[in-house]
């Protein structure tokens, strides 16, 4: 299978390039093909003639999106449409990475794939609008919503917590946002399986289980054998430019229906810490 990956230098992209075996995968970063450049996207797609395109390239600075709205939509929505249009021209399947931020966070049970979108942030709006436009352009595309990504070799929540814990006696972490941490290696394996199964429609892919950021931080500190105290606080006290969903646990029903499952986030964290140490 020939695969073209946009976003190969990101946290997930690096994991996909490392973990994807037995197929011919071509990885492109923004320096190779900026997805805002429709003609460049078209050119590299026609050259590669892939059977699958995986689009993980995105502007993921959630707070930055609030003050750089035009850039956020240019990359996350319009860039995605550019890639989908090129995929349609060459007859390639498309897998697009989306986010839990397309939901408003007002539920108290896991979000299903057909729950209504109601994004509360600019980032969430860019992803929600991209989803709508891609499904109209390529009805058989696969949209993978995920959340709380972490992995070795880049900036992520566990990395930040470990660095702060090394120099501070106590950390305050919000305890009123609940979601599912997702290890990029486990997500990469799910994406490979989805492509090989010719999946289409919307799928949710995260590690199994859920927690608050406070609970996640506690587990990180304890698992790393550190003595730093982790204290719960509120989102109101730790205000950020972009609103976060209070609850964004994603149901794995659609993923499980395809015969794909993921390990627990605690198991994923243990493997991340081992990888980081090595």
């Amino acid at each position: 299978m020939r695969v073209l990956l946009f976003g190969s230098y990101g946290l997930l992209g690096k994991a996909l390039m490392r973990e994807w075996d037995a197929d011919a995968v071509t990885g492109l970063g923004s320096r190779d093909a900026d997805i805002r450049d429709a003609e460049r996207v078209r050119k590299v797609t026609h050259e590669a003639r892939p059977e699958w395109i995986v689009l993980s390239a995105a502007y993921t600075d959630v707070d930055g999106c609030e003050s750089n709205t035009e850039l956020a939509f240019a990359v996350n929505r319009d860039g995605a449409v550019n890639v989908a249009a090129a995929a349609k021209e060459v007859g390639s399947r498309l897998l697009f990475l989306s986010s839990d931020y397309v939901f408003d966070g007002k539920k108290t049970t896991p979000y299903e794939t057909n729950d209504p979108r109601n994004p509360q942030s600019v980032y969430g709006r860019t992803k929600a609008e991209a989803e709508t436009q891609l499904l109209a352009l390529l009805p058989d595309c696969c949209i993978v919503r995920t959340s709380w990504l972490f992995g070795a070799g880049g900036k992520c929540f566990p990395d930040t917590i470990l660095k702060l814990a090394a120099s501070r006696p106590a950390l305050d972490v919000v305890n009123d946002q609940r979601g599912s941490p997702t290890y990029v290696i486990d997500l990469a394996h799910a994406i490979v399986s989805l492509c090989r199964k010719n999946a289409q429609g919307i799928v949710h892919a995260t590690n199994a289980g859920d927690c608050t950021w406070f609970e996640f931080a506690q587990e990180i500190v304890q698992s790393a054998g550190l003595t730093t105290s982790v204290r719960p606080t509120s989102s109101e006290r730790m205000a950020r430019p972009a609103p976060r969903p209070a609850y964004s646990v994603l149901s794995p029903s659609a993923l499980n229906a395809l015969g794909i499952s993921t390990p627990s986030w605690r198991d994923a964290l243990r493997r991340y810490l081992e990888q980081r140490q090595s």
Side-chain angles (χ1 to χ4, degrees):
M1 184 165 65
R2 295 183 310 281
V3 180
L4 183 59
L5 168 63
F6 287 93
S8 63
Y9 300 147
L11 203 62
L12 174 59
K14 288 176 185 174
L16 281 164
M17 293 300 293
R18 285 194 308 268
E19 302 295 321
W20 206 319
D21 54 13
D23 291 309
V25 182
T26 301
L28 301 174
S30 59
R31 287 169 291 183
D32 307 308
D34 187 326
I35 61 173
R36 293 174 294 177
D37 184 342
E39 192 49 46
R40 177 62 181 160
V41 168
R42 187 172 180 271
K43 184 175 186 295
V44 297
T45 303
H46 276 261
E47 287 172 353
R49 293 276 165 182
E51 293 159 83
W52 271 95
I53 294 174
V54 175
L55 176 53
S56 68
Y59 179 34
T60 58
D61 180 349
V62 175
D63 290 326
C65 286
E66 293 294 315
S67 53
N68 296 286
T69 304
E70 285 187 20
L71 175 62
F73 277 100
V75 175
N76 295 347
R77 180 194 61 196
D78 304 341
V81 170
N82 290 339
V83 174
K88 190 171 186 176
E89 281 188 22
V90 299
S92 169
R93 298 293 309 282
L94 174 67
L95 185 146
F96 171 68
L97 268 297
S98 191
S99 168
D100 57 327
Y101 277 70
V102 302
F103 297 120
D104 58 20
K106 293 177 182 176
K107 280 189 77 176
T108 54
T109 56
Y111 279 94
E112 300 294 342
T113 56
N114 59 354
D115 279 330
R117 305 175 187 90
N118 188 25
Q120 302 297 296
S121 65
V122 171
Y123 175 73
R125 281 168 45 212
T126 66
K127 287 294 190 178
E129 291 186 22
E131 285 187 10
T132 303
Q133 294 195 27
L134 294 194
L135 287 167
L137 188 61
L138 284 177
D140 69 344
C141 73
C142 181
I143 291 171
V144 179
R145 295 184 185 134
T146 190
S147 65
W148 296 24
L149 290 191
F150 69 94
K155 185 182 177 184
C156 61
F157 183 76
D159 183 64
T160 300
I161 290 296
L162 290 169
K163 286 176 178 174
L164 290 174
S167 60
R168 297 185 187 179
L171 300 175
D172 293 330
V173 183
V174 295
N175 197 34
D176 53 6
Q177 296 171 25
R178 180 169 290 276
S180 297
T182 306
Y183 189 27
V184 289
I185 287 180
D186 293 334
L187 179 57
H189 290 162
I191 288 168
V192 173
S193 295
L194 287 166
C195 291
R196 289 179 178 162
K197 289 173 181 285
N198 278 315
Q200 56 183 287
I202 301 173
V203 178
H204 292 165
T206 68
N207 277 109
D210 59 78
C211 59
T212 66
W213 289 112
F214 163 71
E215 291 165 347
F216 193 17
Q218 268 191 321
E219 192 74 21
I220 293 163
V221 169
Q222 290 171 6
S223 298
L226 301 173
T227 58
T228 306
S229 171
V230 183
R231 302 177 302 208
T233 189
S234 67
S235 299
E236 190 177 6
R237 289 191 62 188
M238 305 283 280
R240 304 282 292 277
R244 267 68 174 168
Y247 182 94
S248 64
V249 180
L250 302 176
S251 167
S253 299
L255 190 72
N256 295 163
L258 290 162
I260 304 169
S261 60
T262 55
S264 73
W265 66 265
R266 285 187 171 86
D267 176 77
L269 176 62
R270 176 186 55 78
R271 286 179 284 120
Y272 162 79
L273 292 171
E274 289 172 355
Q275 183 189 17
R276 190 176 186 271
Q277 200 167 32
S278 63

